Amino acid sequence: MIISGRGSGILLHLSSLPSRFGIGDLGPAARAFVDLLAEAGQQYWQFLPLCPTSRELDNSPYMGLSAFAGNPLLISPECLVEDGLLPYDLLHEAPQFSEYLVAFDEVLPWKEEILAAAFAHFIAGHPLRSEYARFIAAESWLDDYVLFVALHEEQHGLPWYSWPSGLARRLPGALAAARQRLAQRLDYHRFVQFIFFRQWERLRRYAGERGVRLIGDLPIYLAPDSAEVWAWPQLFLLDEETMRPTHVAGVPPDYFSDLGQRWGNPLFRWDGGPEVRAVLEEWWQRRLRHQFRLTDLVRIDHFRGFESYWRVPASEPDAVRGEWVKGPGLDFFRRLEKALGPLPIIAEDLGLITPAVEELRDALGFPGMKVLQFAFDSDERNSYLPHNYAERNCVVYTGTHDNDTAVGWYFSDRSEPAAKERLLRYARSREGSPIHWDFIRLALASVAALAIIPLQDLLGFGSDCRMNIPGTDRGNWRWRVAPRFLSAELMARLRNETEFYNRLPRRDQAATEEE
């Protein structure tokens, strides 16, 4: 078990934090949010993947440009000022951005402008240059990533498999010429990554000092147009001629979609020969080692893909006509444990879960997920009902980034009236009681070792504030919280409920007893 005692926390992506610069970032608002969590007795902060996102893919953090790089949009302008890389006056020239939504088309050019200005200050001579040199020497993934991004710019955003053949197939002569031609852009993108990870380490250290543990999110799959698929094509099911995926990832028809979900990610060649499997496992070791440096725990999205995965021919328009294929299974994780030590992983085990998936999860000791929005659509044997949690080694959520908000779910026409009635009866809800607090109390009261509440549910917000609608590829990932909603009264109430259900950190419990 990777979670000791009873704890709770909040799910909020970095981009949703308050900021006057159009998108949440790693600066003062992130540290202030850590302070709020600590004051409210919360021990965990969970967020979505930190990877660079693509305008062409609607800036989805689950379709990132890299499995290793950080998202430049999350870099804090204020921290750049603190480090002497920007004049403070430049921040006054920022446009007026919405405090409720991320307008990516407006934020992206402005962030690029200030990062270019910071880079100009840096190359003119800056005390951070020695630290920068150590960073680029230590990060083995960096050269492939910066070349990929610079070529992406040069090719006007075209996916790598549409580039000239020499670049797409990574012919040495073509790559050498590109490195020479794009040398300044390569240095710029190295600098951006250096700044991201410098700011990230500062935030992680601050969270640790305040007793807040960070939960990262690791998508099992990569975007087809990503640095790693370009750099390691032999690890994926790609057509040798077109370099495009022959089969793609997804899930069959389920709760979210009658046609299933055709994600479009290329699949790993788990069934390749011994040499391919050896390289693939070594790549996964590097990926997880990198992630464990950034966060205290890692939620692996679509964990069931390690037991078996839904393989859809790339020619299919939806995910209905796929097939289940065996994944790498337990032996793969045992070898990872041997290489990396204990694996601080939360298994996302939602959807169509078989006994074989549960056996794999339990053999590894990974906590699975319980989502309360799924608890009321059947009978008393529903596995998401708190009285059916067989053991405490699990994480209970009122909802996830893929769900509607609790309030949105309750008032949605898609939610069955019988499910709403079962919720009210189960929660012993009083007339007029805010439904989101019923969900929160059920989560906190459960035996689950950890309870995670999306911030939208803590605030009691409706469907217009949900983060993502699965099966759609436009208009997601934009919600932000305005600072006035993060009130001291709200956090005091959360702390009170957290204490009542015995989820305060031990140091807070001791302080309460002394009082």
Side-chain angles (χ1 to χ4, degrees), residues 177-196:
R179 289 190 181 98
Q180 185 174 11
R181 183 173 69 249
L182 301 170
Q184 187 172 9
R185 293 304 292 170
L186 300 183
D187 286 341
Y188 167 76
H189 289 297
R190 289 189 189 99
F191 165 78
V192 169
Q193 289 303 304
F194 164 64
I195 293 298
F196 175 90

Side-chain angles (χ1 to χ4, degrees), residues 44-82:
Y44 295 88
W45 177 7
Q46 181 173 333
F47 37 81
L48 307 186
L50 301 171
C51 55
T53 57
S54 165
R55 182 182 303 183
E56 289 75 18
L57 296 171
D58 200 42
N59 293 282
S60 168
Y62 293 91
M63 278 288 195
L65 294 173
S66 171
F68 293 86
N71 191 344
L73 291 176
L74 300 180
I75 289 175
S76 164
E78 290 152 309
C79 289
L80 291 174
V81 172
E82 292 174 13

Side-chain angles (χ1 to χ4, degrees), residues 1-3 213-216 218 284 287-289 291-292 295-304 306 332-333 336-337 340-349 360-361 364-369 393-395 397 450:
M1 181 181 293
I2 61 172
I3 304 166
R213 303 182 74 193
L214 304 180
I215 304 177
L218 188 75
W284 266 99
R287 187 184 190 192
L288 286 173
R289 185 180 289 112
Q291 188 66 42
F292 295 156
T295 58
D296 300 290
L297 301 172
V298 176
R299 189 196 82 119
I300 293 187
D301 192 55
H302 198 60
F303 171 79
R304 75 142 303 144
F306 289 107
F332 166 72
F333 280 101
L336 285 177
E337 288 175 331
L340 303 176
L343 304 176
I345 286 172
I346 296 170
E348 187 270 285
D349 53 353
L360 175 61
R361 178 200 64 204
L364 293 164
F366 296 165
M369 293 174 59
N393 188 33
C394 60
V395 184
Y397 294 76
L450 177 56

Side-chain angles (χ1 to χ4, degrees), residues 21-142:
F21 305 114
I23 187 171
D25 58 44
L26 300 173
R31 296 195 292 270
F33 188 67
V34 168
D35 291 338
L36 285 176
L37 291 173
E39 291 163 9
Q42 305 308 296
Q43 301 177 55
Y44 295 88
W45 177 7
Q46 181 173 333
F47 37 81
L48 307 186
L50 301 171
C51 55
T53 57
S54 165
R55 182 182 303 183
E56 289 75 18
L57 296 171
D58 200 42
N59 293 282
S60 168
Y62 293 91
M63 278 288 195
L65 294 173
S66 171
F68 293 86
N71 191 344
L73 291 176
L74 300 180
I75 289 175
S76 164
E78 290 152 309
C79 289
L80 291 174
V81 172
E82 292 174 13
D83 286 336
L85 289 164
L86 279 184
Y88 181 76
D89 292 346
L90 188 60
L91 302 189
H92 290 298
E93 301 172 10
Q96 292 295 314
F97 295 109
S98 167
E99 62 179 352
Y100 304 109
L101 294 171
V102 180
F104 286 104
D105 288 341
E106 299 172 17
V107 170
L108 185 59
W110 187 76
K111 272 290 176 79
E112 289 178 342
E113 180 183 330
I114 65 161
L115 288 172
F119 179 59
H121 277 77
F122 178 74
I123 61 177
H126 196 278
L128 289 176
R129 291 188 67 84
S130 58
E131 186 180 336
Y132 165 77
R134 290 192 297 271
F135 170 80
I136 62 175
E139 304 300 330
S140 61
W141 54 270
L142 189 59

